[in-house]
Amino acid sequence: MENPQNRALRALPSVDALVNDPAVVDARGALWHELVTRVVRHAIDETRATILAGNHDAAHGLTQRVVNELAILDGRRSNIVINGTGVIIQTNLGRAPVSADTAQAMNDAATSYLALETDLETGERGGRGATIESMMRTLTGAERTLVVNNNAAAVLLTLAATSAGRGVIVSRGEAVEIGGGFRIPDVLRQSGALLVEVGTTNRTYVRDYESAIDDDTAALLRVHASNFAITGFVARPDLSDLTALARQHGILSIEDVGSGCLLNTSHYGLDHEPTLTESVASGVDVICASGDKLLGGPQAGLIIGRSEVVERIRRHPLARAVRADKTCLAGIEATLRHYLRGEAEEKVPVWWSMSRLTDWLNERTSGWAASLGSRASVAVTSAVVGGGSLPGKTLPSFAVVIRDDSPDHLAKRLRLGTTPVVSRIIDGQVAIDARTVLPGQDDALLDAIRRAIS
Ligand SMILES: *Cc1c(COP(=O)(O)O)cnc(C)c1O
């Protein structure tokens, strides 16, 4: 009998045959012919290598893989999804969607020339991000703001510019991993600063920091523990006590606050997430925060603080390597304007989601269930903020639940539809949480569910 590996290899189609397969011809779209040949050749080569590695079924679905790849290259497969997970800031789904005004401002900045570093009054060189600085000053009282690529860059740059070659004191309970490889001890090492850990995992006092301060100390660093919470027998100094201690010893205080919150989360029945305004008021010298968590803007890192320190950070060579581009600056500016106008709850999507009332969510899901028919019902659920904010805390919510013998398959059909829907499985059924389905997505969602269950 022929050996199965040879049989699998012989069964592979030729490049020509696959290029001319009707499904592939159909999927070619506007792509250039030679490119289709390259895609096909690459897919066949990969399949051959997989067969040689011992997987004799590797050719199964080869044509479909080529068709999918062509659809992606030609831009016919969108990766825009409806978020039915109930996780408001979902890193795997791109974190915060921005407001319509923010998207428009980013689009305008992207497609035009703009006075990015030109003062239109004098026609001379002006400061990049000057409007954002003035907005942040108004909102939080911060003297200066520098916008960089993301918060990881903000922390790295801040430490490199202020503390390289010297000690930075961190509580053992805060030497954490935020996720995605961002570990405070590693970032410190990368910046050239020396980590000095004090206290214990659950309890650290001002006196622990104080006794570690010596001539080589550059700063005290406070880190928001982000994705995890220690509860029970815990102690952690107030930020204002730490900043007072730092000032008394002539060293810097730095806070990595994470989420960049400007509103009070306790209004929605959640715990209180520290706000940028509170951090500034505590007197901390520099604060680092993300732009696309609770701020609700595009991916960015904000370095906020005292003039003299932020200026030192801005002049560090690494600052240029991590600086924000013009679309990001336009997006952050437009997002901050919603806070200045007091309209963030209605306009900034993450705050829109957080501030929906349960009655409204109940009504919304009841409407969905009624229009979907007998397989759909409404369930009480819990949504979460996500993105490392308020771990373990939930927001009451409602979901539409679709009955199916094979919920995993239904969830997959929903993901692979023309408008992909990401759901979650609750008690063995597919659930789509109303809190994270954005306004205006209702019809597209119902259409997608109908297709998936028909
Ligand atoms: C999220 C987070 C970071 C990383 O921020 P990015 O914007 O993802 O780079 C760093 N520190 C804390 C405390 C965070 O919560």
Side-chain angles (χ1 to χ4, degrees), residues 187-199:
V187 175
L188 263 154
R189 197 170 312 120
Q190 207 46 243
S191 73
L194 311 168
L195 171 64
V196 179
E197 281 187 74
V198 296

Side-chain angles (χ1 to χ4, degrees), residues 410 413-414 417-419 444-454:
L410 175 57
R413 281 201 302 285
L414 282 166
T418 324
T419 307
L445 172 69
L446 293 176
D447 197 45
I449 299 175
R450 276 191 205 103
R451 281 169 199 256
I453 60 180
S454 70

Side-chain angles (χ1 to χ4, degrees), residues 159 168-170 174 184 188 219-223 254-256:
L159 292 170
V168 172
I169 305 175
V170 182
E174 299 176 4
I184 290 296
L188 263 154
L220 309 180
L221 172 64
R222 158 72 70 112
V223 182
I254 302 171
E255 183 188 26
D256 173 11

Side-chain angles (χ1 to χ4, degrees), residues 129-374:
T131 309
I132 292 174
E133 291 210 289
S134 126
M135 290 171 134
M136 285 298 286
R137 197 175 306 124
T138 309
L139 286 165
T140 69
E143 290 177 5
R144 294 282 310 270
T145 300
L146 178 66
V147 185
V148 295
N149 183 57
N150 56 13
N151 189 27
V155 176
L156 178 66
L157 172 62
T158 296
L159 292 170
T162 61
S163 310
R166 299 176 65 204
V168 172
I169 305 175
V170 182
S171 159
R172 285 207 164 76
E174 299 176 4
V176 294
E177 172 173 325
I178 308 295
F182 185 90
R183 293 176 142 194
I184 290 296
D186 296 342
V187 175
L188 263 154
R189 197 170 312 120
Q190 207 46 243
S191 73
L194 311 168
L195 171 64
V196 179
E197 281 187 74
V198 296
T200 61
T201 306
N202 58 328
R203 293 178 82 87
T204 304
Y205 306 95
V206 173
R207 64 171 183 271
D208 294 320
Y209 289 88
E210 183 157 28
S211 57
I213 295 174
D214 63 23
D215 291 347
D216 282 336
T217 306
L220 309 180
L221 172 64
R222 158 72 70 112
V223 182
H224 187 294
S226 198
N227 294 314
F228 88 116
I230 304 179
T231 55
F233 189 57
V234 295
R236 173 168 131 121
D238 282 341
L239 185 59
S240 51
D241 292 338
L242 280 190
T243 62
L245 176 70
R247 196 163 312 119
Q248 191 188 322
H249 289 267
I251 59 175
L252 289 179
S253 51
I254 302 171
E255 183 188 26
D256 173 11
V257 75
S259 77
C261 185
L262 285 169
L263 299 178
N264 191 347
T265 50
S266 64
H267 288 163
Y268 312 104
L270 291 162
D271 281 2
H272 181 74
E273 176 75 12
T275 66
L276 293 175
T277 314
E278 289 159 2
S279 292
V280 172
S282 77
V284 67
D285 293 307
V286 195
I287 304 152
C288 298
S290 289
D292 54 346
K293 292 182 178 173
L294 282 176
L295 195 76
Q299 180 188 301
L302 304 176
I303 300 173
I304 304 160
R306 287 202 299 108
S307 260
E308 175 270 315
V309 190
V310 175
E311 187 54 25
R312 187 156 28 121
I313 296 169
R314 193 185 64 77
R315 285 198 313 261
H316 189 274
L318 199 53
R320 178 60 186 262
V322 298
R323 81 174 181 188
D325 82 306
K326 62 176 181 171
T327 58
C328 169
L329 294 172
I332 293 291
E333 183 178 319
T335 303
L336 291 177
R337 196 161 285 119
H338 292 310
Y339 293 93
L340 288 165
R341 290 176 173 162
E343 61 186 23
E345 274 188 3
E346 290 309 315
K347 297 282 182 82
V348 177
V350 296
W351 290 95
W352 180 88
S353 284
M354 247 188 294
S355 59
R356 289 313 91 187
L357 299 174
T358 45
D359 282 351
W360 185 83
L361 294 165
N362 187 5
E363 233 169 80
R364 192 184 199 194
T365 42
S366 301
W368 293 347
S371 102
L372 287 169
S374 61

